[in-house]
Structures are given as structure tokens and as C-alpha cells.
Amino acid sequence: LEERQRKPLSEGMDELPDLDLLTVAQKDELIRMQHGMIVALSAQVEGLTAKLKELEGRLALNSRNSSKPPSSGGYGKHNRAKAKDGADTDKKKSGGQKGHRGHTLKRSEQPDHVVPCPLPSHCDRCQSPLPEGVVVETRQVFDIPRRPPVVTEYQLTEARCGCGKVHRGEFPLGVRAPVQYGPNIKAAVVNLTHHHMIPVARTGALTGELFGLQMSDATVLAIHAEAKVILTPIVTEIGETLKTVPIAHTDETGMHVSGKLHWLHVVATTLLTWIGCHTKRGRQAIDAFGILTAFVGTLVHDGWKTYRDLVCTHALCNAHHLRELTFVFEQLGQAWANRLIDLLTDALDEVKSIGGPLPAERRADYRSRYAEILAEGDTANPRAPRTGKRGRVKQSKARNLLDRLTLYADDVWRFATDHGVPFSNNVAEQAVRMPKVKEKISGGFRTLTGLETFCTIRSYLATLQKQGVNTFDALALAFQGTPLQPRFA
């Protein structure tokens, strides 16, 4: 016992010692040791708890509370996103909404074919001959003709004058080869691949099944290249026009070319869409395009720093803010986030009701409540202390959101202060949606030239679609040598 009491307590601590055999000093040492272990375990538990919350937050991300696309959320109804203006789409009835004109099949006043449904020649009761009947009801069937393609042959003639000079006719503009495709079938090919996002091989198969003109991949791609040459001047003019518009939207998304990541950039308005591609995402790409560097109006975007560095007025996308606030409220249980959602959507409803910016006193009221809610959020989300390591200290999602909402408050409320500035960046997000659909269906592009061609043609088609123009008719005119010019203002 005396020998054990003379040894340090830290020796032989594989199991708890008998307290009756310890001196007072050893008991004090044991308490200090246990306290140190408790402190270390508490710190470890705190760190693991924070990590668990972070991982749970990642698993809880969906299109309602983050920028993840709806397609990533599975089939659960809770993964469906709210509308861009904050309205909950779950409250809407299925089908056409109130005020929607609708599209339905209507009777034709001049049918192409009339097929009578004849009466029997005699009455089936008395066997007497029946008189001529009268039409009491008609039904119409709309269908497309199933016929081979129309082949037009151009015959060039020549004649020799009595003086000896030979005169030859001229083929029409665009008729350059002994056998070639016409403008309508070319328009159909481009419309299928770049408007309806059908892959190249399936487009060639469809032209064979529907029109009797089976095409190889090389033929389809050659038609794409021809369309790019025709439409490039128009798309260039769209880009030049976007430099001078008062309000523009911008966004970017990754696209794969031969397995390597490239970047698709969008600049758009409610009337125009310009799409370009580059190997870089940041300022190098923006400088190469030259559109946003010359822009001096109000730029609506998601707050990415590269956009913020541009010399123009900025407006932040509040649809992003609503999704992030939904995450803070639903996953972190912070009530201030829900109140801020209500505040922003109430302000949006008021802007819509009066059809323009809010009066000064209403803006002041909203900004005062906005500051109070952010102060509550600051209390609930203290800034992480410095650890002594170099660089920025990693903050929580809620903390980063609060910093953005505080630092760029004027840009958050731009929709309520500047005429015509929208609540969200929906215009740009819609422009990048269809290219992502194209990538999902086709699996990316094989060459950078293919992506560049897609960007040019898609810019033209997306612009015409916004302006209510039939894209097939416009493409047919383009292949005839008279491309339709979109409205630029």
C-alpha cells in the first residue's frame, strides 16, 4: 500500500483505482485528470455535433431550400420548388390557371375532305325506300398527311445565239449541289435538335420515320454548321444590343465537352437571350465576351463575386434568398428566417399591386423591419471565432446568408426601389435550363465547336420564342436566305 501510494497516479491507469487506497493528493490528481478528459470529450462532442448538423443539412437540401434543380430531389412532393416570386405552387390547382387562354382543337370552316356517312337504302322496319337525308351532325378528324418528300428538279437550259455566244440559265440562290436538302427539312432538323433537344442520332432517325429522309449524324451536324453561319450576325447584334439595355439578367452553368468541364454564360432580358461558352467561368470569360464589361445598367444576378466586381448597378435574386431562408427556418429551426420570407413576399405583393416601386415611407417601413429581423438573426448565428490559421474563417450557411443580406441590402430591395427591376433572376435561369436539358439528354458535347454552334442557334431560338415567333417558320426562312430579324427593343 505504501509503495502504491508513492507512485504517480498516472501509472497503471488501465482501470479505475480503489479510492480507499488513494491518498488525498492522489484523489485530487484523479479529479484533475478526469476533469481534463471531460473537457476534451466535451469539445469532441461539440465538434461532432456540429459536423452532424452540417451533414444533416446537406441531406436536407432540395430545390425548395437551395439552388439544387428539381430533378435532383427524387419523386417526393416536398422536393418541388416554390415559384420564383415566392408563391407556393402547392396551392395552385392542376391544369390551366385563371386567365390562361388555353389551346384546344377548333373546328375548321373549310375541311379538306368531306366523307358522307350514308343511310341504308331501305327502312329496316317496313322495307320502304328512304328519301334523301339531311346532315344533322358533323365530326372532324385532324391528321397530318403520310406522304413521301416533295422532290423539285431544277433544269438548267442553254442556247447558242446565231452570233455564236452560248447563253445559260441560272439555278436559284441556294441550289448548289446535284442533290441536296431543302429549307423545310433543314429547319425541322435544327428545330428538333436545338429547340426540342433531340440528340443528333435520334434526329436523323426521326427524319427517316416521319419524312422518308433518313440522315446520318454527319449530315445533321453539317446542317447545324450551316445554321450557325446564317445566324451568327443576328446573335452578334443581340449581344451588342444587350450592352445598352437598362436591365439585364446573367447566370452561368457548367457544360461538359468531351468529358471536360466548360462554362455556358447567359445574358438576357425579357425580349432577348444571348448564350456563349468558354473554358473559364470567371472574369476571363466575361472579358472575352465583352458584353457585361460594357454594361452600365442594372444587372440582376445571384450575388457571385465576379458579377459584383462589374461596374454597374446590381440587383440580387431574391428567389435564391427565399430558398436559403427556407433551409434556415425548416432545418435549423430559426423563426427569424420565416419572418423575413413573409416580409419579402409581402413587399413583392405590394409592388405588384401598385405596378411600380414602393413610396418612400413604405420602403422605410420595410427596411426598418428588415433590419430588426437581421439583428435577430445575428444573435442566433454568432460569427465563428478566428482559429489562428491563415485565411478566412469558415462560417455557417446562415451566417453567410446574413452577411450578404446585410452588406448588400440595397441590392436585395432593388425590386422595391427601381422601376422595372424584378424580384428574381428567373429570366436568366430559364435561359440556362434548356441547355442543361440538352446535356442530360445527349450527355454533353463531343467538341467545343458543337457547343459553340448550339449556343449560337439556341440564342436565336430562345429570343424568337420569347417574342412569340414560330421557330420552325423562322428557321425555314433562314435557310431560304432571308432570316427573320427579332425585335431588339
Side-chain angles (χ1 to χ4, degrees), residues 50 88-89 104 109 129 136 162 173 176 202 206 228 251 435:
D88 196 340
T89 55
T104 185
E109 297 297 330
V136 295
L173 183 67
R176 299 182 296 271
R202 287 170 57 189
L206 276 173
K228 179 189 178 184
D251 202 358

Side-chain angles (χ1 to χ4, degrees), residues 259-278:
K260 295 182 179 180
L261 184 62
H262 289 62
W263 292 93
L264 183 143
H265 296 257
V266 166
V267 184
T269 67
T270 55
L271 199 65
L272 303 171
T273 295
W274 180 91
I275 305 174
C277 60
H278 201 276

